[in-house]
Amino acid sequence: MPSTWWRMRGEARVGELRQYGVDQPMFLCLFAPGPSWDDVRALFEAWAAVRGPDLDGSRNAEAIGPLMDLGLTLHPVDVGTRLSCFRDCIPRIHGSTARLRR
């Protein structure tokens, strides 16, 4: 996998994920906000706020739904294939770090 991706919403750059390690099945990344981060920040923060048991997955599904509707993608900076978020990979952002499951 590439080591750096741009998170995009259409043509707008939401942020950058730069891989620094692996904790299978997660790729560990640093996250740097892009010019369009403020447009989606609240949705990622709402998902990050889901804590504790979620036995039927309903709290996570409620938080992820609006994110899935955004049509976010990850574009490799160097080489590789563009990934569709929540179909090809699941990105979680917490402040300046991110975890990417592929």
Side-chain angles (χ1 to χ4, degrees):
M1 285 197 61
S3 60
T4 303
W5 301 270
W6 289 332
R7 168 162 291 158
M8 305 292 288
R9 181 178 182 199
E11 297 298 315
R13 189 185 306 184
V14 173
E16 179 182 280
L17 285 89
R18 185 176 300 269
Q19 182 184 332
Y20 69 85
V22 177
D23 184 11
Q24 284 296 346
M26 300 290 192
F27 294 91
L28 307 175
C29 303
L30 297 175
F31 175 73
S36 296
W37 172 241
D38 286 335
D39 297 339
V40 300
R41 174 195 308 254
L43 297 175
F44 277 97
E45 289 174 349
W47 187 24
V50 175
R51 300 260 191 235
D54 185 15
L55 299 179
D56 66 358
S58 62
R59 292 185 312 132
N60 273 291
E62 185 177 322
I64 292 171
L67 287 167
M68 293 175 76
D69 293 341
L70 294 175
L72 298 172
T73 55
L74 290 178
H75 296 246
V77 172
D78 299 326
V79 295
T81 305
R82 181 180 73 178
L83 302 174
S84 176
C85 294
F86 303 104
R87 187 180 66 193
D88 301 323
C89 63
I90 301 173
R92 298 276 321 237
I93 297 174
H94 293 130
S96 63
T97 63
R99 291 176 166 260
L100 179 65
R101 182 175 181 148
R102 174 140 191 235

